[in-house]
Amino acid sequence: MFIQTIKRFIEKFQLFQKGDRVLLGVSGGLDSVVLLETLYLLKKEYNLSLFVSHYDHKIRRDSYKDALFVYQLCKERKIPFFYTASSVPAYAKREGLSLEMAGRELRYNLWYYLAKKYDFQKIALAHHLDDLAEEIFMKLIKGTGKRGLAGIPVKREDLIVRPLLFVTKEEIKKFALERGLTWREDETNKDLRFLRNKIRHILIPFLENNFNKKIKENIRKTAFLIAEEEELIEELAKSKFEEIKFYLEGEVALKLHELKQIHPVLRKRIYFLAFKEAKIPLFRITYPHLENLENLITKKTKGPIYLPGNFLAYRGPGYIIFTKKLFSFPYFEIVVSKEGEYLLPNNRILKVFRAPFTKDFIKPENSMSFPAERLTFPFIVRRKKPGDKIYIPSLGHKKLKKFFLEKKIPHYLREDILLIEREKEIVGVWNLYIHPEYEITDKTKELIILQIK
């Protein structure tokens, strides 16, 4: 009966395709053990290749026993096993996160990495109806929008799937006992310091006993209806995102004029797609982050907007860009005396090399090119300093500060723009300016290329 129910969910939501390579997140607890058993029983029917990932959070001293238990389950079923361990408490402290959020962020980062490296078509997780109810109440308590009321999606990005989402903990346990399964008990699930556990052990039982015994079932119906609408909105957001996104020196950017024309509800969904593309931690995004971005769009604030994971968003001329937070360094000079690689203060590499110049020459990403006969060694790569000027034909020398203002370069970016200097003359401002005597012409045969990696 249980297996048939799960099969109906798999078919209804098209969770698997024949021949999928599936990575299962298995902690060793009741839910994940049942997930493993269920997909193992359905393996032949869907022609699935199963793999298991176990993440040791190093919260409990005996957590290694969970890993050994899961390893034994995999060994008995001849399923490949991935074991990963790291200290979630240390990561939580370093990043200023709760233990629950830190653990979730590390697990998902691992699963996405494994899926990409080993070509897994699906990542199967063991969330169930009780988890769905708990998630919705957590979001209501903390404050949420309609998206939050949808709870945990049964399918996300066509990668994350949750085959057990619409069965209860009680049904899962009954199946486990019928199959004679054993599992590990995690004592932290009873720790009332965690909000989720308070909801699980106090709030939901209270509501069931005093208001409605079928509250979980009603939540399932409501969440399912909202989730259908969410899927439509998400598809619209993806379509618009593809229209207005572009890359600026490898960073994700959005066309500002087009972004302004989009309804604010859809615009906020597009921000999430940009966050994901830029690898900004989605679990840490809060409502104020979205409001700050809206204010940046409407010019209520100049920015930049600081985002989780050491990222920021700022306005450029005609765009919004999402990038790693930039740090200013003390003044520096690097003498480039020959071809090779030079370490910049931000730990990125400046590669200097020669290349022939032909009509079909394609400029390398994040680089500047000069005629080799003009930019000869040695020359200097440095940060700006007070009094810097550049030469403009017919105008003479112009202060670099005024040049940046005209180019609408935000003040917080100017300190990190590289200058190329030869014989005490600025011959290049990174991807903004080249001295007229150092421009590429039809007579140029060889280039000196500077590329940041």
Side-chain angles (χ1 to χ4, degrees), residues 206-223:
F206 176 80
L207 293 173
E208 286 176 327
N209 293 331
N210 293 276
F211 291 90
N212 189 340
K213 290 183 179 180
K214 294 183 177 181
I215 191 166
K216 292 175 191 173
E217 178 62 22
N218 289 339
I219 285 174
R220 182 193 72 80
K221 292 175 182 176
T222 303

Side-chain angles (χ1 to χ4, degrees), residues 115-131:
K116 185 176 181 180
K117 184 172 183 179
Y118 296 102
D119 191 30
F120 297 128
Q121 283 77 51
K122 297 292 187 296
I123 299 170
L125 305 180
H127 297 100
H128 48 75
L129 186 55
D130 294 54
D131 292 324

